[in-house]
Amino acid sequence: MSCGCKTSGDSAHSCGPKKTANGCENVNTCGNSYKLSVFDWLSNINNPTPNRCDFVEVRFKNDRKSFYKNVNNIPLHIGSVVTVESSPGHDVGVVSLTGELVKIQMKKKKFSEELALKIYRQANQKDLEVWQDVRKKEDGVKLEARKIAQRLGLEMKVTDVEYQGDSSKITFYYTADNRIDFRQLIKDYAGAFRTKIDMKQIGFRQEAAKVGGIGSCGRELCCSTWLTDFRSVNTNVARYQQLSINPQKLAGQCGKLKCCLNYELDSYMDALSNFPSSSTTLETEKGKAFCIKIDVFKKKMWFAYVDNSIAWYDFDIDLVKKLISKNKRGEKTLPLEDLKQPDTPSQSIDLIQENNVDRFEKKNRGSKNRNNNQNKQNNSQQQQGQGQGQGQKRNRPERQERLTRSEKPETPNNHAPSGNQPKQQKQHPQQKGPVEKVEASDAEKKPQNNPNKKKFKKKYPPKKDKDA
């Protein structure tokens, strides 16, 4: 972390020790996407010189921040690497906020101006080299510290290690359930690392914020991205939201209840203010009934008899209020099965069809139905054609007669037998030439069919023109 740009996580990156006061060129006014970063919406406003704020906010490792006084009036900007006062020695950090917003942040965090330490100078090349060298040692020191604590049999976990900028002090962040005796541990640490040792105990939520991770929602943990204060979460929050008390589902990466249970608690509390108490009992003609379940979104309450708790009956909260007022007057209500109104099922239409499993098979089903219908039609036509062919085989002289008469449309067709009339009205699809319909009488005869039949019937193919 050598500046406030996007590559500040890399200790080998050093764009801050430039001679200019602007620091890194890639730094914007919001400090990029670091946790607890404040957007400087007054960055484009030039304040008068007498009212200029002498305090700046400096960020260190593990999102540790503090406020320092610029006693030497050094021109500093967001991303400038500075050397600040520490005890003992000095420390190196990155400027994360300047201007009038620093006073607002100090007032918000109740930071006294008298306790603010001073800024020595803008970090030079020597300060950065020492800082980057000790930053590279932190991972190895953390592993060695865990081995020493395990060898001593201490029930603690070293979460993170932070070197001071001048390598004069090491801060060990650890988590533990019980009190730890550090007398022998600090002696071993001092003998192994040859520097001053500082131990700081943090909670399990602070550990998850430092380590980071992915929550059950699929996003990065809130405590490691934007959450600044850790509000207490208890099991009553889950009960208000009608959630099952399952520690595996309600616990987060830190092993405690999820902080996101507090996000929608106010909405549930407002909705439950209109509901009767969950301990409400109804006096019915069939017996006493008690509340089993509450649905906040549907605004319904489920009741069941004390003697028979298997059958549940849901009612709207308006009806429940009327039944409660009726019981207060000393009157018993009707049985629950008589009060229950039949539910009208509402068919929901999914316009996007994302939840439909068979959304990819609808087209195939339609094509299958069309193919089945076509096959049925073809089979029926083939059966009719076979019947027609049998009739034609029986009456071969009549077929020859019809063929000769079809060549001469002027002659009336009055000699066709009436028994084969319904079979000859339908044509076989494989028959080349259309068959002339046989009619019973001349009065029912339609002379309009003959010219059409002659138009479509071609006995011989047309002759080719050699000159074309």
Side-chain angles (χ1 to χ4, degrees):
M1 179 189 306
S2 57
C3 66
C5 69
K6 296 180 180 180
T7 56
S8 63
D10 187 7
S11 58
H13 178 70
S14 58
C15 55
K18 295 183 179 180
K19 299 297 182 182
T20 61
N22 295 330
C24 181
E25 298 177 355
N26 298 325
V27 174
N28 51 20
T29 56
C30 66
N32 293 300
S33 60
Y34 294 104
K35 182 187 173 184
L36 309 179
S37 59
V38 180
F39 180 77
D40 190 3
W41 52 276
L42 296 175
S43 60
N44 298 327
I45 300 176
N46 296 324
N47 296 324
T49 305
N51 298 331
R52 187 176 62 183
C53 180
D54 295 333
F55 294 91
V56 294
E57 185 186 62
V58 182
R59 185 186 71 245
F60 302 94
K61 187 187 176 183
N62 293 328
D63 300 319
R64 181 172 60 89
K65 288 186 177 183
S66 185
F67 300 97
Y68 292 87
K69 190 173 183 179
N70 189 5
V71 293
N72 299 324
N73 294 327
I74 304 172
L76 299 174
H77 298 273
I78 297 175
S80 300
V81 184
V82 292
T83 303
V84 298
E85 181 183 2
S86 181
S87 177
H90 65 271
D91 201 355
V92 181
V94 182
V95 176
S96 57
L97 191 63
T98 59
E100 294 295 327
L101 289 181
V102 179
K103 289 184 177 180
I104 299 175
Q105 293 295 320
M106 293 175 66
K107 184 178 180 181
K108 179 181 178 182
K109 298 180 179 180
K110 298 179 181 181
F111 188 86
S112 177
E113 296 182 1
E114 299 176 355
L115 300 176
L117 302 177
K118 58 183 178 181
I119 296 176
Y120 288 148
R121 61 184 178 273
Q122 192 169 2
N124 53 28
Q125 189 65 30
K126 183 179 179 181
D127 295 335
L128 283 173
E129 288 178 358
V130 175
W131 184 38
Q132 292 174 1
D133 290 339
V134 296
R135 283 289 303 273
K136 293 178 181 178
K137 298 179 183 178
E138 289 177 352
D139 292 337
V141 170
K142 180 173 63 175
L143 295 176
E144 186 66 23
R146 288 179 178 178
K147 292 179 182 178
I148 295 173
Q150 187 178 6
R151 186 175 68 246
L152 295 176
L154 300 177
E155 296 181 357
M156 59 175 292
K157 177 184 178 183
V158 179
T159 302
D160 202 357
V161 177
E162 181 181 1
Y163 261 98
Q164 195 168 288
D166 58 349
S167 71
S168 61
K169 185 177 70 172
I170 304 178
T171 304
F172 292 92
Y173 297 94
Y174 71 95
T175 58
D177 294 330
N178 302 320
R179 189 181 178 120
I180 306 297
D181 186 7
F182 294 117
R183 288 177 293 182
Q184 185 62 33
L185 181 67
I186 292 178
K187 291 180 183 180
D188 294 347
Y189 280 177
F193 306 121
R194 301 291 180 179
T195 185
K196 185 179 179 180
I197 305 299
D198 188 10
M199 305 294 295
K200 283 189 178 181
Q201 184 176 4
I202 58 176
F204 292 98
R205 292 184 175 179
Q206 285 81 6
E207 179 190 9
K210 291 180 182 296
V211 176
I214 304 298
S216 58
C217 59
R219 303 183 64 179
E220 194 174 356
L221 298 180
C222 299
C223 56
S224 62
T225 51
W226 63 271
L227 193 61
T228 58
D229 55 338
F230 296 99
R231 295 169 55 188
S232 61
V233 186
N234 50 22
T235 55
N236 291 331
V237 177
R239 290 191 179 95
Y240 284 129
Q241 301 181 31
Q242 309 298 321
L243 299 175
S244 60
I245 310 300
N246 189 353
Q248 295 180 355
K249 293 184 178 180
L250 298 181
Q253 299 283 353
C254 57
K256 305 295 182 181
L257 292 177
K258 294 180 182 178
C259 297
C260 55
L261 293 175
N262 286 328
Y263 297 165
E264 298 179 355
L265 179 61
D266 296 334
S267 301
Y268 276 90
M269 295 298 292
D270 294 339
L272 289 174
S273 60
N274 298 325
F275 276 75
S277 177
S278 58
S279 60
T280 302
T281 57
L282 299 177
E283 295 290 341
T284 64
E285 297 177 355
K286 196 174 179 179
K288 185 180 290 187
F290 63 98
C291 180
I292 291 182
K293 180 184 173 183
I294 294 176
D295 194 336
V296 179
F297 300 102
K298 294 182 179 180
K299 296 182 179 181
K300 289 186 177 182
M301 298 179 67
W302 274 261
F303 287 89
Y305 292 110
V306 177
D307 301 334
N308 185 14
S309 60
I310 299 176
W312 294 10
Y313 302 93
D314 58 307
F315 303 102
D316 295 334
I317 56 175
D318 297 332
L319 179 59
V320 174
K321 290 178 180 179
K322 293 179 181 179
L323 298 177
I324 293 173
S325 61
K326 192 173 181 180
N327 288 146
K328 287 182 179 180
R329 294 195 299 265
E331 301 177 2
K332 290 186 178 182
T333 62
L334 296 174
L336 298 179
E337 52 269 15
D338 295 341
L339 295 172
K340 182 70 177 69
Q341 297 179 358
D343 296 333
T344 56
S346 59
Q347 297 180 356
S348 59
I349 301 174
D350 188 7
L351 299 178
I352 306 177
Q353 294 183 356
E354 291 182 350
N355 298 326
N356 191 3
V357 182
D358 301 333
R359 61 184 183 275
F360 299 111
E361 301 178 1
K362 285 186 176 180
K363 295 181 180 180
N364 299 330
R365 286 182 178 179
S367 62
K368 286 181 180 180
N369 294 333
R370 287 194 295 270
N371 294 333
N372 293 334
N373 295 333
Q374 291 178 0
N375 293 333
K376 290 179 180 179
Q377 292 178 0
N378 294 334
N379 293 333
S380 61
Q381 290 178 0
Q382 289 177 2
Q383 291 176 0
Q384 293 175 0
Q386 291 176 0
Q388 186 177 3
Q390 293 177 0
Q392 291 176 358
K393 287 179 182 179
R394 294 175 183 175
N395 303 324
R396 286 182 180 177
E398 294 177 1
R399 180 182 176 184
Q400 293 176 359
E401 245 180 341
R402 282 195 298 274
L403 290 174
T404 53
R405 289 179 182 178
S406 61
E407 295 174 1
K408 298 178 182 180
E410 304 89 14
T411 58
N413 189 8
N414 296 331
H415 301 282
S418 59
N420 296 332
Q421 182 179 356
K423 292 184 180 179
Q424 294 177 357
Q425 288 179 357
K426 295 183 181 180
Q427 300 177 1
H428 194 273
Q430 298 178 357
Q431 190 174 355
K432 293 182 180 179
V435 181
E436 187 179 353
K437 295 183 180 180
V438 180
E439 298 180 358
S441 59
D442 294 337
E444 298 176 357
K445 181 181 178 181
K446 294 181 181 179
Q448 299 174 356
N449 296 334
N450 293 333
N452 293 335
K453 292 177 181 177
K454 187 176 182 181
K455 185 184 294 183
F456 287 103
K457 182 178 179 181
K458 292 181 181 180
K459 196 170 183 180
Y460 302 102
K463 296 181 180 180
K464 296 182 179 180
D465 192 359
K466 296 181 181 180
D467 298 333

